[in-house]
Amino acid sequence: MSLSRREFMAAAAAAAAMPHRLAAREAPLFRISLAQWSLHRTFFGKALSLPWSEREALFRSDPDRLWQGAALPVDFPVIARREYGLEAVEYVNTMMYGKADDAKWLGELDRRAKGEGVYHHLIMCDLEGALGDPDEAARARAIENHVRWLRCASRLGCAMIRVNAQSRGTPEEQAKLAADGLRRLAERAEEFKLRVVVENHGGYSSRASWLVEVLKRADHPLLGTLPDFGNFTVSSTERYDAYRGVEEMMPMAAAVSAKSHDFRDDGEEVDIDYARMLRLVLGAGFRGWIGVEYEGQRLPEPEGIRRTIKLLERTRTALAGEFGG
């Protein structure tokens, strides 16, 4: 019996997610990955003091000049394993700018990861244009810009790329345009057998009900969500309820970002109830990788990362009986 195209693509989506699903079954409930942005101060160093306009220009013209910190982005898998004991990483494309098609650089990155037993889970993609741009030509360029990261992710053996549902106009206009761009990108992802996941990442995408509706309109089996525990600021006057947002996004989730900024003396995050968040995640049946994304400024990055890992581990242990881990 032959499969329909939709059945085939659903099977491809399951295959794309298989590495993290298999790994997750070897540990209770979920395993912990590290998002590269957690170390942005470590990599950028003094370059963070440059005005954003100068940094953005360097991303596009000479990105290697931005790495003025204590380590280079190519060191990331080694740092994740040796410093934090983690076995999976989540890249940020801006820390790989100019390298998406650089076989030598990617080969070295892969060699280092394999040497540490580290799995390349996903690439987070920014600064590649709005997938919901009202201008058709600009939207098409944004799609093509993202395709090179699909190619890069495929070469590394990732399961997915993370993109943004950016657009302009009224909520309805943006929903229509973003759905179009996301669907067209997902169709391009078919040849790579990779997922395309969308994060709540500012603007209307941080209004979770809007984002879920966009993905339903796009209607492609390779599309999904990446709920971030902290990114629910829609505008200067609107903040979406984070727990409602995660709950709404979880049925379509292929990855999860455990955002953290600061911690109380008892080890809990100051603004995010991790037990409540993880109950929503696990209650939706998710058993994949959860990425540590420390964005705080008060603590040094290594301490913030370690505290986030400990909080996830402690909460996972506390919930094991409840969720059968």
Side-chain angles (χ1 to χ4, degrees):
M1 181 179 68
S2 62
L3 293 176
S4 68
R5 177 179 176 277
R6 176 160 290 278
E7 290 170 332
F8 173 79
M9 293 313 304
M18 191 60 69
H20 77 270
R21 288 178 181 169
L22 288 176
R25 284 203 295 266
E26 298 170 4
L29 297 182
F30 60 84
R31 295 179 77 174
I32 301 169
S33 54
L34 181 62
Q36 197 170 22
W37 192 251
S38 297
L39 290 163
H40 68 278
R41 283 183 274 158
T42 297
F43 295 129
F44 285 112
K46 294 180 180 179
L48 286 174
S49 64
L50 294 173
W52 169 245
S53 60
E54 291 185 30
R55 274 188 282 153
E56 185 175 13
L58 283 173
F59 275 128
R60 303 187 188 284
S61 64
D62 192 3
D64 287 348
R65 287 177 56 192
L66 289 165
W67 312 125
Q68 300 178 22
L72 294 172
V74 74
D75 299 321
F76 180 47
V78 176
I79 293 170
R81 182 63 166 163
R82 295 186 185 181
E83 298 297 322
Y84 306 106
L86 299 180
E87 301 172 346
V89 290
E90 303 177 4
Y91 296 102
V92 179
N93 73 326
T94 52
M95 297 186 186
M96 304 168 75
Y97 248 56
K99 311 299 185 185
D101 300 307
D102 186 334
K104 182 178 180 181
W105 190 90
L106 292 174
E108 177 61 20
L109 179 70
D110 194 41
R111 185 189 68 77
R112 296 186 187 201
K114 283 187 168 64
E116 301 295 329
V118 170
Y119 159 55
H120 312 286
H121 184 38
L122 60 84
I123 301 176
M124 297 185 175
C125 301
D126 300 303
L127 296 184
E128 292 293 7
L131 290 168
D133 197 298
D135 180 85
E136 170 59 32
R139 191 157 73 253
R141 284 195 300 272
I143 292 167
E144 289 302 318
N145 289 344
H146 283 83
V147 169
R148 66 179 171 182
W149 294 108
L150 285 168
R151 188 179 302 112
C152 178
S154 177
R155 179 175 291 181
L156 290 173
C158 298
M160 64 196 77
I161 65 169
R162 187 277 280 150
V163 304
N164 299 300
Q166 290 176 300
S167 187
R168 298 192 303 276
T170 67
E172 174 58 27
E173 289 168 342
Q174 292 195 39
K176 180 180 178 180
L177 292 164
D180 175 70
L182 288 167
R183 178 172 181 83
R184 288 160 60 185
L185 179 61
E187 289 171 348
R188 298 293 299 278
E190 292 175 10
E191 66 176 290
F192 302 101
K193 297 182 175 62
L194 292 175
R195 300 294 303 270
V196 175
V197 296
V198 189
E199 181 181 353
N200 48 308
H201 207 208
Y204 290 123
S205 75
S206 289
R207 189 184 291 172
S209 56
W210 179 91
L211 180 57
V212 169
E213 177 60 28
V214 166
L215 291 172
K216 288 179 179 178
R217 289 190 188 194
D219 190 26
H220 194 287
L222 290 181
L223 288 172
T225 62
L226 191 160
D228 181 291
F229 289 174
N231 289 350
F232 287 99
T233 299
V234 179
S235 69
S236 60
T237 59
E238 180 184 351
R239 179 169 175 80
Y240 203 78
D241 182 83
Y243 304 101
R244 174 186 171 188
V246 169
E247 184 173 24
E248 290 173 336
M249 293 173 68
M250 279 311 303
M252 304 178 75
V256 173
S257 183
K259 181 64 59 64
S260 60
H261 290 97
D262 204 355
F263 301 86
R264 304 194 310 242
D265 291 342
D266 62 0
E268 294 295 315
E269 217 280 339
V270 294
D271 295 316
I272 302 169
D273 184 336
Y274 264 55
R276 184 176 175 185
M277 281 296 190
L278 289 173
R279 280 192 172 92
L280 294 172
V281 170
L282 297 170
F286 184 87
R287 297 297 184 272
W289 295 91
I290 296 180
V292 168
E293 191 171 32
Y294 172 67
E295 273 193 346
Q297 297 298 314
R298 186 180 68 85
L299 300 174
E301 286 176 331
E303 184 177 351
I305 292 168
R306 290 190 177 97
R307 288 199 186 193
T308 309
I309 293 170
K310 287 181 180 179
L311 177 54
L312 283 169
E313 290 176 336
R314 184 172 68 250
T315 309
R316 180 176 62 188
T317 298
L319 296 178
E322 187 175 340
F323 291 97

